[in-house]
Amino acid sequence: MQINFSKKNVLITGGSRGIGKACAKLYASLNANVIFTYKSNKHAAQITLEELDKKGRHKSYQLDITKPREIERVFEDIILDYGRVDILINNAGIFVEHKITDVDYIQWQKCWNETIMTNLTGVSNLCYLVSRHMIQNEGGKIINVSSRGAFRGEPNHPAYGASKAGLNALSQSLAQFLAPFNITVGVVAPGFVETDMASEILKSEAGNQIKKQSPLNRVATADEVARAIVLFSMKGLEYMTGGIIDINGASYLRT
Ligand code: NAP
């Protein structure tokens, strides 16, 4: 089995750092044209762009996924430049602590609004635009990055857990709706991953306990998650649509 994304245009949100960056590098090494977005860290985006294998044509775009008009404008620019998007990876996300005993009512609402707008509503808006584009193109693949927290609960980050549970439900609804249009939708659900998002908590006292949640006594690497994402986007695995792949080192087992 050969994995080759030559002439495929892959759009990755939040591709400047962490899991998105690992995806950008992996797809570039597999000959894809990589289009990735970032929110504000232009420097990180520039470094990522420079690190990509130069077999395809790559470009980064600044995009705040919480802004519906900005999504529309950036997606139009991408289509003008690249003509089409074959694979969409909805990876951008935030993980904001808001313990019910620590935040006031206003902060509580702010955390919920920001988290749901970024991790769920923003994804649904981009899925809307890209799905309609893929329907016209008679096919495509969408992969959404969820989390173990959707299943296990997130006591200190409840909006995050809810956003990812919602993302799973959104993905499965889209998988059913879009299948007749030759569009597949897959979900990957990592536990903790070695990225900026998790670095503070992994460096804290809780870090060792978190690693021990897995019998492998570690957290995932961003590369491991990227490989599962690539799997979902491969030709020949279309029947996996609607599925959710756990990447949590057996730290939380669902049946
Ligand atoms: P990360 O290292 O914090 O990187 C986040 C990326 O998303 C950056 O490229 C960032 O852009 C971008 N971003 C943040 N807010 C955005 C917004 N409003 N609009 C557009 N882009 C935005 O995150 P990560 O750890 O790689 O996480 C990636 C995904 O995996 C997330 O959906 C996360 O929930 C999920 N996940 C992560 C873990 C973990 O332990 N790390 C575990 C389970 C699931 P800038 O560079 O400009 O800030």
Side-chain angles (χ1 to χ4, degrees), residues 115-126:
T115 303
I116 298 295
M117 274 310 293
T118 309
N119 295 1
L120 184 56
T121 314
V123 178
S124 95
N125 287 340
L126 186 57

Side-chain angles (χ1 to χ4, degrees), residues 67-248:
K67 299 187 173 145
R69 284 211 172 279
E70 200 170 306
I71 302 177
E72 211 173 10
R73 183 181 51 73
V74 170
F75 186 57
E76 274 171 20
D77 285 351
I78 291 170
I79 295 306
L80 276 176
D81 199 357
Y82 280 84
R84 60 185 285 150
V85 167
D86 301 292
I87 298 166
L88 167 67
I89 318 291
N90 283 302
N91 163 77
I94 55 169
F95 182 62
V96 184
E97 187 173 293
H98 49 289
K99 285 185 203 167
I100 209 161
T101 47
D102 287 2
V103 294
D104 65 25
Y105 188 39
I106 300 291
Q107 288 170 308
W108 173 262
Q109 290 170 59
K110 190 169 174 289
C111 290
W112 270 85
N113 289 337
E114 270 175 15
T115 303
I116 298 295
M117 274 310 293
T118 309
N119 295 1
L120 184 56
T121 314
V123 178
S124 95
N125 287 340
L126 186 57
C127 280
Y128 174 87
L129 296 171
V130 175
S131 296
R132 290 174 68 102
H133 164 80
M134 286 176 170
I135 288 169
Q136 277 186 339
N137 286 341
E138 299 180 346
K141 296 189 185 299
I142 299 173
I143 298 97
N144 295 332
V145 183
S146 179
S147 170
R148 180 186 71 167
F151 306 107
R152 190 174 176 264
E154 288 284 358
N156 302 338
H157 308 72
Y160 181 82
S163 72
K164 295 300 189 180
L167 181 61
N168 293 349
L170 167 69
S171 307
Q172 293 186 323
S173 299
L174 290 181
Q176 290 182 325
F177 187 82
L178 295 172
F181 301 101
N182 191 31
I183 300 167
T184 62
V185 184
V187 180
V188 298
F192 276 99
V193 187
E194 276 172 6
T195 68
D196 295 344
M197 181 180 277
S199 72
E200 207 175 301
I201 197 163
L202 292 174
K203 274 190 245 152
S204 75
E205 267 179 39
N208 277 338
Q209 287 307 319
I210 287 172
K211 287 178 190 156
K212 280 188 192 144
Q213 288 171 1
S214 163
L216 294 173
N217 197 23
R218 65 174 178 86
V219 299
T221 65
D223 288 337
E224 284 175 309
V225 182
R227 288 183 201 118
I229 290 171
V230 163
L231 188 77
F232 257 130
S233 65
M234 280 168 55
K235 200 168 161 20
L237 288 173
E238 285 73 19
Y239 215 69
M240 282 177 73
T241 194
I244 302 178
I245 300 180
D246 292 315
I247 311 168
N248 65 42

